[in-house]
Amino acid sequence: MTHKTDCRVVIADDNQDAADTLAMVLEAQGFSVSTAYHGREALDLVNRVQPDVAILDIGMPGVSGYDVARALRQAGSVTLLVAVTGWGSAQDVQRASGAGFDHHFTKPADPKLLISLIEARCLT
Protein backbone atom coordinates (compact mmCIF):
# COMPACT_ATOMS: atom_id res chain seq x y z
CA MET A 1 0.00 0.00 0.00
CA THR A 2 1.22 3.49 -0.88
CA HIS A 3 1.58 6.04 1.93
CA LYS A 4 0.11 9.52 1.57
CA THR A 5 3.58 11.06 1.66
CA ASP A 6 4.40 9.07 -1.50
CA CYS A 7 1.41 10.64 -3.26
CA ARG A 8 2.52 13.63 -5.34
CA VAL A 9 0.03 16.41 -6.12
CA VAL A 10 0.56 19.51 -8.25
CA ILE A 11 -1.77 22.48 -7.80
CA ALA A 12 -1.80 25.25 -10.40
CA ASP A 13 -3.87 28.41 -10.02
CA ASP A 14 -3.07 32.02 -10.89
CA ASN A 15 -4.86 32.96 -7.66
CA GLN A 16 -1.90 32.33 -5.36
CA ASP A 17 -4.01 32.47 -2.20
CA ALA A 18 -6.34 29.76 -3.55
CA ALA A 19 -3.40 27.57 -4.61
CA ASP A 20 -1.55 28.01 -1.33
CA THR A 21 -4.67 27.40 0.78
CA LEU A 22 -5.48 24.17 -1.04
CA ALA A 23 -1.83 23.12 -0.78
CA MET A 24 -1.94 23.62 2.99
CA VAL A 25 -5.12 21.55 3.28
CA LEU A 26 -3.62 18.70 1.26
CA GLU A 27 -0.26 18.86 3.03
CA ALA A 28 -2.11 18.65 6.36
CA GLN A 29 -3.59 15.39 5.04
CA GLY A 30 -0.06 14.11 4.44
CA PHE A 31 0.24 14.51 0.66
CA SER A 32 3.38 15.80 -1.05
CA VAL A 33 2.26 19.01 -2.77
CA SER A 34 3.92 21.37 -5.27
CA THR A 35 2.34 24.59 -6.49
CA ALA A 36 2.52 26.66 -9.66
CA TYR A 37 0.91 30.02 -10.37
CA HIS A 38 1.01 30.10 -14.18
CA GLY A 39 0.19 27.58 -16.91
CA ARG A 40 3.74 27.34 -18.31
CA GLU A 41 5.09 26.84 -14.78
CA ALA A 42 2.42 24.18 -14.19
CA LEU A 43 3.39 22.27 -17.33
CA ASP A 44 7.08 22.35 -16.39
CA LEU A 45 6.31 21.31 -12.81
CA VAL A 46 4.11 18.38 -13.84
CA ASN A 47 6.75 17.18 -16.29
CA ARG A 48 9.45 17.42 -13.60
CA VAL A 49 7.51 16.04 -10.59
CA GLN A 50 5.42 13.42 -12.46
CA PRO A 51 2.57 13.77 -9.93
CA ASP A 52 -0.16 11.27 -9.31
CA VAL A 53 -2.73 14.09 -9.44
CA ALA A 54 -2.68 17.60 -10.94
CA ILE A 55 -5.34 20.08 -9.85
CA LEU A 56 -5.46 22.84 -12.45
CA ASP A 57 -7.32 26.10 -12.74
CA ILE A 58 -8.66 26.58 -16.26
CA GLY A 59 -8.51 30.36 -16.56
CA MET A 60 -4.80 30.98 -16.09
CA PRO A 61 -3.46 33.74 -18.36
CA GLY A 62 -1.17 32.82 -21.23
CA VAL A 63 -1.11 29.04 -21.02
CA SER A 64 -4.57 27.97 -19.78
CA GLY A 65 -5.45 24.84 -17.87
CA TYR A 66 -6.90 23.48 -21.12
CA ASP A 67 -3.52 24.01 -22.81
CA VAL A 68 -1.70 22.27 -19.95
CA ALA A 69 -4.09 19.29 -20.03
CA ARG A 70 -3.83 18.91 -23.81
CA ALA A 71 -0.03 19.11 -23.74
CA LEU A 72 0.19 16.52 -20.97
CA ARG A 73 -2.16 14.10 -22.71
CA GLN A 74 -0.37 14.54 -26.05
CA ALA A 75 2.88 13.65 -24.25
CA GLY A 76 1.27 10.47 -22.89
CA SER A 77 0.85 11.60 -19.28
CA VAL A 78 -1.33 9.36 -17.12
CA THR A 79 -1.54 11.90 -14.28
CA LEU A 80 -5.09 12.27 -12.95
CA LEU A 81 -6.12 15.74 -14.13
CA VAL A 82 -8.69 17.65 -12.08
CA ALA A 83 -10.08 20.99 -13.24
CA VAL A 84 -11.01 23.35 -10.41
CA THR A 85 -12.40 26.46 -12.02
CA GLY A 86 -14.94 29.23 -11.89
CA TRP A 87 -16.26 28.04 -15.24
CA GLY A 88 -19.03 25.55 -14.53
CA SER A 89 -21.46 25.38 -17.45
CA ALA A 90 -22.16 22.08 -19.19
CA GLN A 91 -20.13 23.38 -22.16
CA ASP A 92 -17.19 24.11 -19.83
CA VAL A 93 -17.34 20.58 -18.44
CA GLN A 94 -17.38 19.14 -21.98
CA ARG A 95 -14.49 21.34 -23.05
CA ALA A 96 -12.46 20.25 -20.02
CA SER A 97 -13.14 16.60 -20.81
CA GLY A 98 -12.14 17.16 -24.42
CA ALA A 99 -8.87 18.72 -23.30
CA GLY A 100 -8.04 15.63 -21.23
CA PHE A 101 -9.33 16.38 -17.75
CA ASP A 102 -10.61 13.41 -15.76
CA HIS A 103 -12.74 15.48 -13.36
CA HIS A 104 -14.24 18.98 -13.28
CA PHE A 105 -15.16 20.95 -10.16
CA THR A 106 -16.53 24.47 -9.95
CA LYS A 107 -14.91 26.75 -7.38
CA PRO A 108 -15.01 26.58 -4.50
CA ALA A 109 -14.34 22.86 -4.71
CA ASP A 110 -15.11 20.77 -1.65
CA PRO A 111 -11.71 19.76 -0.21
CA LYS A 112 -13.20 16.48 1.05
CA LEU A 113 -14.08 15.49 -2.53
CA LEU A 114 -10.60 16.38 -3.75
CA ILE A 115 -9.01 14.41 -0.91
CA SER A 116 -11.22 11.41 -1.75
CA LEU A 117 -10.14 11.57 -5.40
CA ILE A 118 -6.48 11.80 -4.47
CA GLU A 119 -6.75 8.94 -2.00
CA ALA A 120 -8.56 6.79 -4.56
CA ARG A 121 -5.74 7.44 -7.02
CA CYS A 122 -2.84 6.98 -4.64
CA LEU A 123 -3.80 4.66 -1.84
CA THR A 124 -4.38 1.44 -3.71
Side-chain angles (χ1 to χ4, degrees), residues 1-111:
M1 181 152 133
T2 304
H3 297 285
K4 283 186 178 181
T5 54
D6 296 329
C7 185
R8 296 176 314 276
V9 179
V10 165
I11 299 168
D13 195 323
D14 60 317
N15 179 330
Q16 291 188 13
D17 288 339
D20 292 345
T21 299
L22 182 55
M24 286 189 305
V25 169
L26 297 180
E27 287 170 345
Q29 291 296 310
F31 300 112
S32 174
V33 181
S34 303
T35 54
Y37 307 113
H38 305 285
R40 170 59 53 201
E41 182 185 9
L43 188 55
D44 293 343
L45 187 60
V46 170
N47 284 326
R48 187 173 68 250
V49 172
Q50 296 293 307
D52 300 286
V53 179
I55 301 170
L56 307 173
D57 180 29
I58 297 289
M60 294 181 285
V63 178
S64 73
Y66 295 129
D67 297 330
V68 173
R70 275 191 292 272
L72 291 171
R73 292 302 186 228
Q74 287 171 358
S77 174
V78 296
T79 296
L80 183 75
L81 299 180
V82 180
V84 176
T85 177
W87 302 347
S89 73
Q91 184 179 18
D92 295 324
V93 174
Q94 285 181 325
R95 188 170 177 205
S97 178
F101 281 97
D102 299 295
H103 299 278
H104 183 282
F105 294 99
T106 303
K107 289 180 179 179
D110 182 347

